[in-house]
Amino acid sequence: MKLSVVLPAYNEEGSIEETLQTLYAKLQAEQIDHEIVVVNDNSKDNTLDLLTQLQAEIPSLVVHTNHGPNGFGYAIRYGLERFSGDCVAVMMSDLSDDPADLVAFYRKMVAENLDCVFGSRFIRGGATYDYPKHKYIINRLANTLIRLLVGIPYNDSTNAFKMYRKHTIDGLKPFLSAHFNLTIELPLKAITRGYSWAVLPNSWRNRKAGESNLKIKEMGSRYLFILLYILIEKYLSRSDYKKKGN
């Protein structure tokens, strides 16, 4: 089963080289058929030049530039429209996600024929390193609210690191989120529409270079919009969007 990995990249010149070299080395060592799809989100630094250079040493690297509209959600959506694998994982370009966890997700999906595999940093085996305290508090409150309102046991919906089968991605369209709220739109749609899923622990490390593009003050209403949409679909759509065959 071919794995695609989609990574958004905006001004990641300080991280992208190490991230891609580490990721490629791990997937090669595990002999996993794959492609690495990086979406340059109209970067203003040297990111695109570095990506072009890296294509000479990483044959599975595919580079796209999203000229606009821009934003985390738009960049991921751009990649999700263009990957060629049988399944796809969303990872970050700053090496905050561990390639070893990616391999575990892939093995789990193949072994159990799952539609989705989600990561949680807050279950046994999960870990965070250098997580800003204020972001941690907001994260736990937001995920608790999501879990209670949607009625699910999954406790890390805002975690961007997740994996989906191609048919699952097709079944979740059209996408509504333009920003980081895409991280909850995808899994919550998958869960409420009846796709099979499992959760594995994963680790997260704060970036060593560059700046995070997540602006917490700007995201509250956007997350709430998606959460309300999911609740409307769950309770009022009369299962019109359920996975076929369920």
Side-chain angles (χ1 to χ4, degrees):
M1 183 169 74
K2 182 177 180 179
L3 168 65
S4 296
V5 187
V6 171
L7 302 95
Y10 177 72
N11 293 349
E12 292 288 0
E13 64 179 6
S15 302
I16 196 68
E17 184 172 6
E18 182 183 4
T19 297
L20 295 181
Q21 290 172 339
T22 303
L23 177 58
Y24 177 69
K26 183 63 176 178
L27 292 173
Q28 283 293 95
E30 296 289 336
Q31 298 183 330
I32 295 175
D33 183 22
H34 73 279
E35 66 171 355
I36 301 171
V37 181
V38 178
V39 179
N40 167 46
D41 199 33
N42 206 15
S43 296
K44 303 300 188 287
D45 64 359
N46 201 38
T47 296
L48 182 57
D49 290 338
L50 283 172
L51 289 171
T52 302
Q53 295 169 22
L54 285 166
Q55 284 185 296
E57 64 178 89
I58 302 177
S60 60
L61 176 59
V62 179
V63 178
H64 296 289
T65 292
N66 175 29
H67 294 288
N70 299 119
F72 177 87
Y74 283 125
I76 293 295
R77 287 163 56 177
Y78 198 95
L80 293 180
E81 292 290 347
R82 291 163 175 81
F83 75 93
S84 64
D86 303 296
C87 61
V88 60
V90 175
M91 296 184 72
M92 305 301 284
S93 294
D94 56 9
L95 207 59
S96 56
D97 301 315
D98 190 337
D101 292 331
L102 175 68
V103 172
F105 282 27
Y106 176 82
R107 302 293 187 206
K108 180 77 168 179
M109 177 171 281
V110 172
E112 299 186 16
N113 194 30
L114 294 166
D115 295 319
C116 318
V117 178
F118 305 143
S120 176
R121 299 159 289 184
F122 307 106
I123 60 175
R124 184 184 297 272
T128 60
Y129 302 94
D130 194 25
Y131 203 121
K133 186 174 182 180
H134 69 287
K135 287 187 176 181
Y136 175 86
I137 293 171
I138 293 171
N139 176 293
R140 301 323 302 142
L141 290 173
N143 277 284
T144 298
L145 178 65
I146 291 169
R147 183 171 53 83
L148 293 175
L149 290 178
V150 183
I152 57 175
Y154 182 38
N155 71 347
D156 199 9
S157 295
T158 57
N159 186 352
F161 185 28
K162 302 180 178 80
M163 183 178 292
Y164 304 88
R165 295 268 188 167
K166 187 179 188 305
H167 70 257
T168 306
I169 289 295
D170 291 339
L172 303 183
K173 295 176 181 178
F175 304 132
L176 306 176
S177 302
H179 300 282
F180 280 86
N181 48 342
L182 188 68
T183 62
I184 68 170
E185 178 182 350
L186 297 180
L188 295 183
K189 276 184 175 179
I191 292 170
T192 58
R193 293 182 184 185
Y195 289 91
S196 61
W197 56 284
V199 179
L200 289 181
N202 74 283
S203 64
W204 180 92
R205 294 181 182 275
N206 203 359
R207 63 169 54 243
K208 295 185 288 185
E211 297 182 0
S212 171
N213 296 313
L214 174 61
K215 303 296 188 291
I216 293 176
K217 290 182 179 179
E218 299 175 5
M219 287 308 301
S221 61
R222 292 178 173 128
Y223 278 106
L224 182 60
F225 163 69
I226 291 300
L227 180 56
L228 291 175
Y229 173 86
I230 295 298
L231 293 174
I232 290 170
E233 180 177 309
K234 179 180 174 69
Y235 294 111
L236 299 180
S237 70
R238 302 180 68 87
S239 300
D240 289 339
Y241 305 101
K242 280 284 187 179
K243 176 185 175 183
K244 293 180 180 179
N246 281 19

